[in-house]
Amino acid sequence: MKWRSRRQSDNVEDLRGTGGRGLKIGGGIGGLGIVIAILYMLLGGNPGDVTQSLQVDQPYAAGPSEPLSAKDQEMGQFVSAVLASIEDVWRERFRAAGEAYVEPKLVLFSGQVDSACGYAGASSGPFYCPGDSKVYIDLSFFEDMQRQLGAPGDFALAYVIAHEVGHHVQNLLGINDQVMSQRGRLSERDFNQLMVRMELQADFLAGVWAHYANMEKDFLESGDIEEGMNAASAVGDDRIMKRTQGYVVPDAFTHGTSEQRVRWFKKGLDTGDINKGDTFGAAVL
Ligand SMILES: [Zn+2]
């Protein structure tokens, strides 16, 4: 991707090197948090109460406490440029539909982070939290994608960012709420199927972004789209299950197979038409 001369987004919150918001107090690693929690417990309270209130009051550090390496800084700039492109595409798509696009924040963290969806570590992978409308990415996941999942290339990371912003688009459109309202009403198996449809739609929406990015001059390079398809395939449930546990349990799928993920990403890429992305109504995924 030729990203260096492109606009950078203002919506990246870089917490790398800071340990993440509230971690020093609430995460149990900082001495003060533990001492206060233990004192509180001795007094008969719920330690969750005190860490909770401290996290809310404690502002996170404005800048990294440890300087980032040149490579880390460059990665941050790359993420900002990709996010800016995704913002441009969705702002225009929403405008064309007579709606206003509300931009999500993107939090870069290392190690652990506190979100409105709870604490997350790098092992949880990139995620979108509807509660605070933020995408969370630990870039070590990107290294895992390259080394362990066999999905190299800068566009592989761009696909992941676009997929997570796809969840934000679903949140703005009320799709996330509709799906989540079924939790507990459906069997686990049926709810998982609904999750698969939501995830495949996020892949489709990533493809819609790629469609418009691909139309721009001097942005994507040959091989980029293939990197994205390869990444979509690499994060299929069947592929990941086989790799981590050696066998596949289709009922436990929550993201879709490699083939399905590639198909929906490609559908978005080929059409660029948000109306073609009804994974919930599709008879065949
Ligand atoms: Zn997802």
Side-chain angles (χ1 to χ4, degrees), residues 6-13 76-77 79-85 87 103-106:
R6 299 183 63 90
R7 179 176 83 82
Q8 301 220 339
S9 171
D10 299 326
N11 288 310
V12 174
E13 293 178 2
Q77 289 159 6
V79 169
S80 296
V82 169
L83 183 62
S85 165
E87 286 165 355
E103 295 169 351
K105 300 281 183 197
L106 188 154

PDB file of all heavy atoms in Angstrom, residues 6-13 76-77 79-85 87 103-106:
ATOM      1  N   ARG A   6      -0.589  10.053   2.487  1.00  0.00           N
ATOM      2  CA  ARG A   6      -2.035  10.194   2.652  1.00  0.00           C
ATOM      3  C   ARG A   6      -2.404  10.855   3.978  1.00  0.00           C
ATOM      4  O   ARG A   6      -1.611  10.917   4.911  1.00  0.00           O
ATOM      5  CB  ARG A   6      -2.705   8.821   2.546  1.00  0.00           C
ATOM      6  CG  ARG A   6      -2.465   8.154   1.196  1.00  0.00           C
ATOM      7  CD  ARG A   6      -3.197   6.849   1.114  1.00  0.00           C
ATOM      8  NE  ARG A   6      -4.628   7.042   1.200  1.00  0.00           N
ATOM      9  CZ  ARG A   6      -5.426   7.246   0.165  1.00  0.00           C
ATOM     10  NH1 ARG A   6      -4.920   7.297  -1.051  1.00  0.00           N
ATOM     11  NH2 ARG A   6      -6.707   7.411   0.332  1.00  0.00           N
ATOM     12  N   ARG A   7      -3.639  11.309   4.051  1.00  0.00           N
ATOM     13  CA  ARG A   7      -4.154  11.911   5.285  1.00  0.00           C
ATOM     14  C   ARG A   7      -4.094  10.904   6.430  1.00  0.00           C
ATOM     15  O   ARG A   7      -4.306   9.720   6.228  1.00  0.00           O
ATOM     16  CB  ARG A   7      -5.624  12.331   5.065  1.00  0.00           C
ATOM     17  CG  ARG A   7      -6.289  12.952   6.296  1.00  0.00           C
ATOM     18  CD  ARG A   7      -7.702  13.440   5.976  1.00  0.00           C
ATOM     19  NE  ARG A   7      -8.731  12.407   6.026  1.00  0.00           N
ATOM     20  CZ  ARG A   7      -9.323  11.989   7.157  1.00  0.00           C
ATOM     21  NH1 ARG A   7      -8.956  12.500   8.319  1.00  0.00           N
ATOM     22  NH2 ARG A   7     -10.259  11.065   7.126  1.00  0.00           N
ATOM     23  N   GLN A   8      -3.836  11.414   7.633  1.00  0.00           N
ATOM     24  CA  GLN A   8      -3.863  10.555   8.811  1.00  0.00           C
ATOM     25  C   GLN A   8      -5.075  10.920   9.658  1.00  0.00           C
ATOM     26  O   GLN A   8      -5.444  12.089   9.758  1.00  0.00           O
ATOM     27  CB  GLN A   8      -2.587  10.751   9.629  1.00  0.00           C
ATOM     28  CG  GLN A   8      -1.338  10.427   8.822  1.00  0.00           C
ATOM     29  CD  GLN A   8      -0.296   9.691   9.637  1.00  0.00           C
ATOM     30  OE1 GLN A   8      -0.295   9.743  10.856  1.00  0.00           O
ATOM     31  NE2 GLN A   8       0.592   8.996   8.952  1.00  0.00           N
ATOM     32  N   SER A   9      -5.671   9.916  10.240  1.00  0.00           N
ATOM     33  CA  SER A   9      -6.863  10.144  11.060  1.00  0.00           C
ATOM     34  C   SER A   9      -6.497  10.785  12.393  1.00  0.00           C
ATOM     35  O   SER A   9      -5.436  10.546  12.944  1.00  0.00           O
ATOM     36  CB  SER A   9      -7.563   8.807  11.313  1.00  0.00           C
ATOM     37  OG  SER A   9      -8.592   8.978  12.265  1.00  0.00           O
ATOM     38  N   ASP A  10      -7.421  11.606  12.894  1.00  0.00           N
ATOM     39  CA  ASP A  10      -7.265  12.189  14.240  1.00  0.00           C
ATOM     40  C   ASP A  10      -7.829  11.259  15.305  1.00  0.00           C
ATOM     41  O   ASP A  10      -7.802  11.581  16.495  1.00  0.00           O
ATOM     42  CB  ASP A  10      -8.029  13.524  14.346  1.00  0.00           C
ATOM     43  CG  ASP A  10      -7.511  14.543  13.363  1.00  0.00           C
ATOM     44  OD1 ASP A  10      -6.293  14.537  13.089  1.00  0.00           O
ATOM     45  OD2 ASP A  10      -8.323  15.342  12.861  1.00  0.00           O
ATOM     46  N   ASN A  11      -8.382  10.139  14.887  1.00  0.00           N
ATOM     47  CA  ASN A  11      -9.141   9.305  15.826  1.00  0.00           C
ATOM     48  C   ASN A  11      -8.358   8.132  16.411  1.00  0.00           C
ATOM     49  O   ASN A  11      -8.957   7.216  16.963  1.00  0.00           O
ATOM     50  CB  ASN A  11     -10.408   8.778  15.137  1.00  0.00           C
ATOM     51  CG  ASN A  11     -11.421   9.892  14.939  1.00  0.00           C
ATOM     52  OD1 ASN A  11     -11.728  10.626  15.871  1.00  0.00           O
ATOM     53  ND2 ASN A  11     -11.906  10.045  13.715  1.00  0.00           N
ATOM     54  N   VAL A  12      -7.032   8.177  16.276  1.00  0.00           N
ATOM     55  CA  VAL A  12      -6.230   7.099  16.864  1.00  0.00           C
ATOM     56  C   VAL A  12      -5.780   7.522  18.264  1.00  0.00           C
ATOM     57  O   VAL A  12      -5.232   8.604  18.442  1.00  0.00           O
ATOM     58  CB  VAL A  12      -4.991   6.768  15.992  1.00  0.00           C
ATOM     59  CG1 VAL A  12      -4.092   5.759  16.706  1.00  0.00           C
ATOM     60  CG2 VAL A  12      -5.431   6.228  14.641  1.00  0.00           C
ATOM     61  N   GLU A  13      -6.084   6.683  19.243  1.00  0.00           N
ATOM     62  CA  GLU A  13      -5.593   6.908  20.610  1.00  0.00           C
ATOM     63  C   GLU A  13      -4.474   5.904  20.843  1.00  0.00           C
ATOM     64  O   GLU A  13      -4.717   4.703  20.920  1.00  0.00           O
ATOM     65  CB  GLU A  13      -6.717   6.690  21.629  1.00  0.00           C
ATOM     66  CG  GLU A  13      -7.826   7.720  21.530  1.00  0.00           C
ATOM     67  CD  GLU A  13      -8.962   7.453  22.518  1.00  0.00           C
ATOM     68  OE1 GLU A  13      -8.867   6.490  23.308  1.00  0.00           O
ATOM     69  OE2 GLU A  13      -9.950   8.196  22.464  1.00  0.00           O
ATOM     70  N   GLY A  76       2.038   2.998  13.719  1.00  0.00           N
ATOM     71  CA  GLY A  76       0.964   3.887  14.154  1.00  0.00           C
ATOM     72  C   GLY A  76       0.509   4.802  13.022  1.00  0.00           C
ATOM     73  O   GLY A  76      -0.690   5.031  12.836  1.00  0.00           O
ATOM     74  N   GLN A  77       1.493   5.305  12.261  1.00  0.00           N
ATOM     75  CA  GLN A  77       1.166   6.191  11.136  1.00  0.00           C
ATOM     76  C   GLN A  77       0.410   5.423  10.046  1.00  0.00           C
ATOM     77  O   GLN A  77      -0.524   5.942   9.433  1.00  0.00           O
ATOM     78  CB  GLN A  77       2.450   6.808  10.557  1.00  0.00           C
ATOM     79  CG  GLN A  77       3.067   7.844  11.484  1.00  0.00           C
ATOM     80  CD  GLN A  77       4.543   8.095  11.193  1.00  0.00           C
ATOM     81  OE1 GLN A  77       5.084   7.568  10.223  1.00  0.00           O
ATOM     82  NE2 GLN A  77       5.182   8.882  12.046  1.00  0.00           N
ATOM     83  N   VAL A  79      -1.525   2.776  10.514  1.00  0.00           N
ATOM     84  CA  VAL A  79      -2.883   2.538  11.005  1.00  0.00           C
ATOM     85  C   VAL A  79      -3.725   3.812  10.843  1.00  0.00           C
ATOM     86  O   VAL A  79      -4.882   3.766  10.417  1.00  0.00           O
ATOM     87  CB  VAL A  79      -2.861   2.068  12.475  1.00  0.00           C
ATOM     88  CG1 VAL A  79      -4.254   2.086  13.083  1.00  0.00           C
ATOM     89  CG2 VAL A  79      -2.258   0.659  12.576  1.00  0.00           C
ATOM     90  N   SER A  80      -3.133   4.974  11.156  1.00  0.00           N
ATOM     91  CA  SER A  80      -3.852   6.250  11.035  1.00  0.00           C
ATOM     92  C   SER A  80      -4.248   6.530   9.589  1.00  0.00           C
ATOM     93  O   SER A  80      -5.351   7.030   9.330  1.00  0.00           O
ATOM     94  CB  SER A  80      -2.984   7.413  11.539  1.00  0.00           C
ATOM     95  OG  SER A  80      -2.716   7.268  12.900  1.00  0.00           O
ATOM     96  N   ALA A  81      -3.344   6.215   8.668  1.00  0.00           N
ATOM     97  CA  ALA A  81      -3.637   6.473   7.250  1.00  0.00           C
ATOM     98  C   ALA A  81      -4.753   5.542   6.755  1.00  0.00           C
ATOM     99  O   ALA A  81      -5.640   5.963   6.016  1.00  0.00           O
ATOM    100  CB  ALA A  81      -2.371   6.284   6.411  1.00  0.00           C
ATOM    101  N   VAL A  82      -4.705   4.282   7.175  1.00  0.00           N
ATOM    102  CA  VAL A  82      -5.752   3.338   6.761  1.00  0.00           C
ATOM    103  C   VAL A  82      -7.093   3.754   7.356  1.00  0.00           C
ATOM    104  O   VAL A  82      -8.114   3.774   6.668  1.00  0.00           O
ATOM    105  CB  VAL A  82      -5.382   1.893   7.187  1.00  0.00           C
ATOM    106  CG1 VAL A  82      -6.571   0.956   6.996  1.00  0.00           C
ATOM    107  CG2 VAL A  82      -4.182   1.393   6.393  1.00  0.00           C
ATOM    108  N   LEU A  83      -7.078   4.130   8.636  1.00  0.00           N
ATOM    109  CA  LEU A  83      -8.328   4.538   9.287  1.00  0.00           C
ATOM    110  C   LEU A  83      -8.913   5.765   8.588  1.00  0.00           C
ATOM    111  O   LEU A  83     -10.131   5.857   8.394  1.00  0.00           O
ATOM    112  CB  LEU A  83      -8.092   4.824  10.781  1.00  0.00           C
ATOM    113  CG  LEU A  83      -9.349   5.187  11.568  1.00  0.00           C
ATOM    114  CD1 LEU A  83     -10.357   4.046  11.575  1.00  0.00           C
ATOM    115  CD2 LEU A  83      -8.990   5.563  13.016  1.00  0.00           C
ATOM    116  N   ALA A  84      -8.040   6.716   8.185  1.00  0.00           N
ATOM    117  CA  ALA A  84      -8.522   7.917   7.485  1.00  0.00           C
ATOM    118  C   ALA A  84      -9.236   7.538   6.194  1.00  0.00           C
ATOM    119  O   ALA A  84     -10.294   8.083   5.866  1.00  0.00           O
ATOM    120  CB  ALA A  84      -7.346   8.850   7.195  1.00  0.00           C
ATOM    121  N   SER A  85      -8.668   6.585   5.477  1.00  0.00           N
ATOM    122  CA  SER A  85      -9.300   6.134   4.226  1.00  0.00           C
ATOM    123  C   SER A  85     -10.656   5.490   4.508  1.00  0.00           C
ATOM    124  O   SER A  85     -11.639   5.738   3.794  1.00  0.00           O
ATOM    125  CB  SER A  85      -8.377   5.134   3.515  1.00  0.00           C
ATOM    126  OG  SER A  85      -9.088   4.443   2.514  1.00  0.00           O
ATOM    127  N   GLU A  87     -12.571   6.100   7.047  1.00  0.00           N
ATOM    128  CA  GLU A  87     -13.489   7.192   7.430  1.00  0.00           C
ATOM    129  C   GLU A  87     -14.064   7.871   6.194  1.00  0.00           C
ATOM    130  O   GLU A  87     -15.265   8.134   6.117  1.00  0.00           O
ATOM    131  CB  GLU A  87     -12.732   8.249   8.261  1.00  0.00           C
ATOM    132  CG  GLU A  87     -12.421   7.812   9.680  1.00  0.00           C
ATOM    133  CD  GLU A  87     -11.379   8.721  10.332  1.00  0.00           C
ATOM    134  OE1 GLU A  87     -10.842   9.628   9.658  1.00  0.00           O
ATOM    135  OE2 GLU A  87     -11.098   8.488  11.525  1.00  0.00           O
ATOM    136  N   GLU A 103     -17.664   8.884  13.395  1.00  0.00           N
ATOM    137  CA  GLU A 103     -16.389   8.170  13.317  1.00  0.00           C
ATOM    138  C   GLU A 103     -16.068   7.465  14.633  1.00  0.00           C
ATOM    139  O   GLU A 103     -16.249   8.050  15.706  1.00  0.00           O
ATOM    140  CB  GLU A 103     -15.260   9.155  12.986  1.00  0.00           C
ATOM    141  CG  GLU A 103     -15.417   9.757  11.598  1.00  0.00           C
ATOM    142  CD  GLU A 103     -14.461  10.921  11.366  1.00  0.00           C
ATOM    143  OE1 GLU A 103     -13.800  11.361  12.328  1.00  0.00           O
ATOM    144  OE2 GLU A 103     -14.390  11.376  10.208  1.00  0.00           O
ATOM    145  N   PRO A 104     -15.584   6.236  14.553  1.00  0.00           N
ATOM    146  CA  PRO A 104     -15.145   5.560  15.771  1.00  0.00           C
ATOM    147  C   PRO A 104     -13.714   5.961  16.123  1.00  0.00           C
ATOM    148  O   PRO A 104     -12.982   6.445  15.265  1.00  0.00           O
ATOM    149  CB  PRO A 104     -15.182   4.086  15.370  1.00  0.00           C
ATOM    150  CG  PRO A 104     -14.816   4.106  13.914  1.00  0.00           C
ATOM    151  CD  PRO A 104     -15.396   5.389  13.357  1.00  0.00           C
ATOM    152  N   LYS A 105     -13.337   5.787  17.378  1.00  0.00           N
ATOM    153  CA  LYS A 105     -11.936   5.928  17.774  1.00  0.00           C
ATOM    154  C   LYS A 105     -11.251   4.582  17.569  1.00  0.00           C
ATOM    155  O   LYS A 105     -11.905   3.529  17.596  1.00  0.00           O
ATOM    156  CB  LYS A 105     -11.826   6.321  19.250  1.00  0.00           C
ATOM    157  CG  LYS A 105     -12.496   7.633  19.592  1.00  0.00           C
ATOM    158  CD  LYS A 105     -11.641   8.803  19.195  1.00  0.00           C
ATOM    159  CE  LYS A 105     -12.300  10.122  19.604  1.00  0.00           C
ATOM    160  NZ  LYS A 105     -11.698  11.266  18.885  1.00  0.00           N
ATOM    161  N   LEU A 106      -9.965   4.619  17.385  1.00  0.00           N
ATOM    162  CA  LEU A 106      -9.185   3.385  17.300  1.00  0.00           C
ATOM    163  C   LEU A 106      -8.079   3.456  18.351  1.00  0.00           C
ATOM    164  O   LEU A 106      -7.270   4.389  18.343  1.00  0.00           O
ATOM    165  CB  LEU A 106      -8.595   3.213  15.901  1.00  0.00           C
ATOM    166  CG  LEU A 106      -7.907   1.873  15.599  1.00  0.00           C
ATOM    167  CD1 LEU A 106      -7.937   1.567  14.111  1.00  0.00           C
ATOM    168  CD2 LEU A 106      -6.458   1.825  16.107  1.00  0.00           C
TER     169      LEU A 106
END
